[in-house]
Amino acid sequence: MSTHNNPPSQRNSPLLCYVTDRHSLRIANPADSLPALIQKIEEVVAAGIDWVQIREKDLPARELASLTRQALRIAAKYSAKRSPAIRVLVNDRLDVAIAERADGVHLGERSVPVAEAKRLVESALRKQAIDQSFLIGASCHSIEAAKSAERDGADYIFFGPTFATPSKERFGPPQGVERLAQICHAINVPVLAIGGITLENADSCIAAGATGIAAIRLIQEASNPAGAMRRLHHVVSYLRQLPADPPAD
């Protein structure tokens, strides 16, 4: 399965993915979380995000579908002025991703297995229910899991937690950039670092070989999203000007 016409691994800037979490939005009334999230998605997309992963696990299917639909409309509006187009991915719910013609699905450890998801995606492709560029992603926390996901048909991997972060504590201690580098060299599909990413440590993830980063708080809580995006996008252009490390003796 092809990722798309401009594979993430061939980008000249880091791939930035906003992972949504309406419950952590700073709003006075929790009942307003969905409208606030839609507003945040538009703000982040306008600022220059590449991917939006809709990760609202407690939403009923109907509401998740509506949210995905609105996110896709926002992405389409801003994609008209950008290349490659902004992608909207749905966490876990492959059925919603296919029904709403999203740009991909992101699978966690408790989601449908990657191999089964690929079978269902190929069936949807034959029916022209989704576009050929539909992506299957997987969260992995070990080299073995990453290799397995790649072998089963994943188009990209989220690896982490790279650094300490409250949202990823259940996955154990942070993996660190050395393990991230091992993952990036062990598989051929793009790897996005996730977990505790900040403006100060994002460069170390790209230097380790990651195609990009995925984050909730870094993007969702940025006081100046456009400024944060510019800084993150400039990270890799600087790193690629540096001479490569000499080969080991």
Side-chain angles (χ1 to χ4, degrees):
M1 182 183 302
S2 171
T3 46
H4 41 70
N5 293 333
N6 296 294
S9 56
Q10 296 179 9
R11 294 170 57 90
N12 292 319
S13 59
L15 197 160
L16 308 179
C17 178
Y18 165 44
V19 180
T20 73
D21 179 8
R22 74 188 192 283
H23 294 301
S24 66
L25 288 168
R26 296 175 179 175
I27 55 175
N29 185 357
D32 296 330
S33 62
L34 268 177
L37 178 58
I38 292 165
Q39 181 178 344
K40 177 60 67 173
I41 290 171
E42 177 139 21
E43 178 183 324
V44 168
V45 168
I49 203 70
D50 300 298
W51 292 359
V52 176
Q53 183 197 140
I54 305 296
R55 188 181 181 275
E56 305 298 327
K57 295 187 174 184
D58 61 330
L59 273 185
R62 186 185 298 272
E63 291 183 58
L64 181 62
S66 175
L67 174 59
T68 301
R69 206 174 306 132
Q70 292 178 78
L72 284 164
R73 288 195 194 110
I74 293 168
K77 179 171 70 172
Y78 289 92
S79 289
K81 301 177 182 179
R82 291 182 51 186
S83 179
I86 301 152
R87 289 181 173 275
V88 175
L89 315 170
V90 179
N91 184 281
D92 191 48
R93 293 297 300 266
L94 179 57
D95 55 339
V96 172
I98 291 175
E100 297 303 325
R101 296 189 76 100
D103 301 300
V105 65
H106 187 85
L107 305 173
E109 288 186 327
R110 298 182 180 179
S111 303
V112 59
V114 172
E116 176 65 11
K118 184 174 182 181
R119 185 185 67 80
L120 294 169
V121 165
E122 288 176 341
S123 175
L125 285 170
R126 287 193 295 270
K127 298 173 184 176
Q128 298 184 335
I130 53 176
D131 293 339
Q132 290 288 336
S133 57
F134 188 94
L135 297 176
I136 299 173
S139 289
C140 299
H141 310 291
S142 69
I143 292 178
E144 294 73 20
K147 288 182 175 180
S148 176
E150 179 186 35
R151 184 171 58 250
D152 290 342
D155 295 300
Y156 71 89
I157 298 295
F158 277 11
F159 182 73
T162 310
F163 306 102
T165 176
S167 65
K168 300 292 183 183
E169 284 181 349
R170 66 186 183 279
F171 297 118
Q175 303 267 6
V177 291
E178 289 186 8
R179 182 61 61 87
L180 173 64
Q182 291 173 5
I183 289 284
C184 293
H185 289 90
I187 61 176
N188 295 314
V189 297
V191 177
L192 277 71
I194 190 169
I197 311 294
T198 67
L199 288 173
E200 290 71 35
N201 63 31
D203 59 342
S204 64
C205 298
I206 304 303
T211 299
I213 61 170
I216 298 174
R217 289 181 300 162
L218 170 62
I219 297 169
Q220 188 163 277
E221 298 179 7
S223 58
N224 177 7
M229 298 298 169
R230 282 195 299 271
R231 180 168 173 183
L232 289 167
H233 275 123
H234 289 162
V235 164
V236 80
S237 60
Y238 166 73
L239 290 170
R240 288 181 176 168
Q241 292 174 12
L242 300 177
D245 292 335
D249 292 335

